[in-house]
Structure formats: structure tokens, C-alpha cells
Amino acid sequence: MMVTFLTRKDIPPWVKVPEDLKDPEVFQVQSLVLKYLFGPQGSRMSHIEQVSQAMFELKNLESPEELTEVFIYGSQNNKVRAKWMLQSMAERYRLRQQKEVLKLEESMKTLELGQYIE
């Protein structure tokens, strides 16, 4: 059983203390993706917590990839569901970014070809 050091003091009412604070679901994600998911200064985080009936705690990692570790607290079902939801949203963001890069590359190729045609 993993018990983490919880630094957050504003525990939402749907999180049962102490049982829901044990064995959090944990995953790592790029910090930039979290800014997209949670909004400016984390403005959407409390709404996502409320919808998922879970509580999140974020820990920035010292890494070249600029990763953040996400700890998810709550009942077992809510933790797993919230983790799946956040990972799905992060993957959707990643795919959208990848698609935008491909569009940009295609536009650049078109511009380069246009230079040679004139």
C-alpha cells in the first residue's frame, strides 16, 4: 500500500478522509498538456475534479521533458475513471497538435514549391 505525502489542504467534500487518500492513481504527463487540460492557472481543475468526484495533486518533476506527476485521490472507481479521462484528454490534445504540425509542414512544402514555379 502506497501512502503519499499530501500537501493539499483544500480537500473536496466528496473525498473521504483518510481512506480515499491512500493508494492514489499516478501518471506522468507533459506540463504543457496539463496547461491545456486545466486551463490558465488551473482554472478548470476544480470543475474536472467535481465532475470526476476525485481530487488531483500535481508535482512538477525535474526532467528535460518537463513532466508533471499527477496524483489522483478518491474512491477506487473514481480514481481509475479520472485517470482514464485525463489520459484520454491528453492523448486527444497530443493528436491534435500532431495534426497541426502536419498541416504546417504541408503548407511550408506548398510555399516552397510555389517559389520554384514563379
Side-chain angles (χ1 to χ4, degrees):
M1 176 183 347
M2 178 182 163
V3 178
T4 62
F5 176 72
L6 185 67
T7 58
R8 192 168 154 179
K9 302 296 181 218
D10 61 328
I11 298 172
W14 53 82
V15 175
K16 295 181 182 90
V17 179
E19 58 269 21
D20 286 350
L21 301 178
K22 297 175 184 168
D23 298 320
E25 287 288 324
V26 181
F27 72 100
Q28 295 177 357
V29 66
Q30 287 184 324
S31 302
L32 182 64
V33 174
L34 281 181
K35 288 178 187 172
Y36 164 77
L37 295 178
F38 292 144
Q41 289 85 41
S43 60
R44 290 191 294 260
M45 192 162 114
S46 62
H47 175 73
I48 296 172
E49 285 180 325
Q50 186 175 8
V51 168
S52 64
Q53 293 289 287
M55 181 181 82
F56 309 135
E57 190 165 49
L58 310 176
K59 178 184 175 191
N60 289 322
L61 301 176
E62 300 292 326
S63 69
E65 299 87 17
E66 295 186 27
L67 295 174
T68 298
E69 204 162 40
V70 179
F71 294 83
I72 304 171
Y73 300 93
S75 70
Q76 187 60 36
N77 288 339
N78 291 347
K79 288 187 296 190
V80 171
R81 185 175 50 235
K83 181 179 178 181
W84 175 85
M85 180 182 68
L86 289 175
Q87 287 178 321
S88 297
M89 291 169 67
E91 180 64 10
R92 183 175 179 207
Y93 173 78
R94 189 188 66 74
L95 291 172
R96 184 183 306 157
Q97 291 298 101
Q98 195 174 46
K99 190 175 181 181
E100 292 298 320
V101 167
L102 291 174
K103 280 183 186 178
L104 181 60
E105 288 173 351
E106 190 63 36
S107 296
M108 290 174 68
K109 285 180 188 175
T110 303
L111 288 173
E112 288 172 9
L113 287 175
Q115 288 177 353
Y116 297 117
I117 294 173
E118 294 175 11

